[in-house]
Amino acid sequence: MSNPGPFGGRTARQFPTLPKGETVASFETYQEAQAAVDKLAKAAFPVKELAIVGTDLTSVERITGVLTWGRAAGAGALSGAWFGTFLGLLFFIFSPTGAGLGILGSAILIGAGFGMIFGLVSYSINRRRRDFTSVMQVLATRYAIIAEPEHVARARTVLGTDAAGFAPVASAPIVPPTPPTAPAQPAAGEPEAPVAPQPGSAEGQDGSRPLTYGEAQDAARRAARERRDAGES
């Protein structure tokens, strides 16, 4: 968040407000939203009319490791060395001589020593409650690109999104139904191939129950044998 100066002419924006407009596109990650804004910028779109709004903010703490005496001392010494380097550079700027280099080295060593002591003391106080290192992050579930109403149609055209802010899903091609094929007719003089009766449709000779596939085969064989015997006689 920027803090405008007293001569910037932006006193009306010193308090943050939500951007007004319509949703152009919605993404799950900030990287996708940033890539969409880059695509609009390359298309000569007025990107100053855009805003990326994250919804459903969630605090995430990622554990990076176990905190020990050695890691606490090393982290404190590193922080102290950086602070000592800053102070030593200030002395060296105002006194750029050989003595200034000695002061710079002494400031780094003294800062590292004090930082190590501070890290060990802080760890001894908090080690019962926190024996691990972590990184805190604030993430959003969705990232929406908001634009002014007069620019929404063009932005959606460039990004290829619909009115809801999502990319349209390509519909599957329509396959025409296959027409049913007529059953093959048997040749003259050949017995018809038996057809397995469907459950509940075909019935036995006595009409009491449907024929099974084996019974239908036996009945067809008997009929063919009777017709052959009748032809021979």
Side-chain angles (χ1 to χ4, degrees):
M1 183 179 65
S2 61
N3 296 321
F7 304 102
R10 300 173 57 186
T11 51
R13 297 184 181 181
Q14 61 181 347
F15 297 104
T17 57
L18 290 176
K20 297 180 180 180
E22 298 182 19
T23 301
V24 174
S26 182
F27 305 94
E28 293 184 357
T29 62
Y30 177 77
Q31 287 75 15
E32 293 176 346
Q34 188 177 19
V37 174
D38 292 338
K39 184 177 180 180
L40 291 172
K42 293 178 181 178
F45 186 87
V47 292
K48 66 179 181 179
E49 305 294 338
L50 299 176
I52 300 178
V53 179
T55 57
D56 298 335
L57 298 181
T58 304
S59 176
V60 179
E61 184 177 5
R62 302 185 185 276
I63 310 303
T64 58
V66 179
L67 186 61
T68 60
W69 289 100
R71 297 192 66 174
L78 183 60
S79 300
W82 278 111
F83 184 71
T85 303
F86 174 73
L87 294 180
L89 287 175
L90 289 180
F91 282 108
F92 181 75
I93 291 174
F94 291 103
S95 179
T97 59
L101 292 176
I103 294 175
L104 175 61
S106 301
I108 294 175
L109 294 178
I110 294 174
F114 276 104
M116 181 184 299
I117 295 174
F118 179 79
L120 293 176
V121 172
S122 178
Y123 176 68
S124 63
I125 296 174
N126 299 322
R127 68 189 184 94
R128 298 293 182 181
R129 296 174 298 174
R130 187 183 180 89
D131 287 339
F132 60 91
T133 58
S134 62
V135 177
M136 185 70 68
Q137 294 176 322
V138 177
L139 303 176
T141 304
R142 302 290 303 182
Y143 293 90
I145 298 179
I146 309 298
E148 295 293 334
E150 58 270 17
H151 302 290
V152 171
R154 181 186 173 190
R156 288 174 179 170
T157 302
V158 175
L159 296 179
T161 57
D162 53 10
F166 297 96
V169 180
S171 58
I174 300 176
V175 180
T178 304
T181 56
Q185 299 294 333
E190 294 183 359
E192 296 182 357
V195 180
Q198 300 295 330
S201 60
E203 297 183 353
Q205 295 179 357
D206 54 356
S208 58
R209 63 179 179 82
L211 294 176
T212 63
Y213 182 77
E215 292 174 347
Q217 293 283 353
D218 295 339
R221 294 191 188 97
R222 285 196 300 268
R225 191 182 304 110
E226 291 174 359
R227 286 196 296 268
R228 186 171 60 254
D229 296 339
E232 292 176 355
S233 61

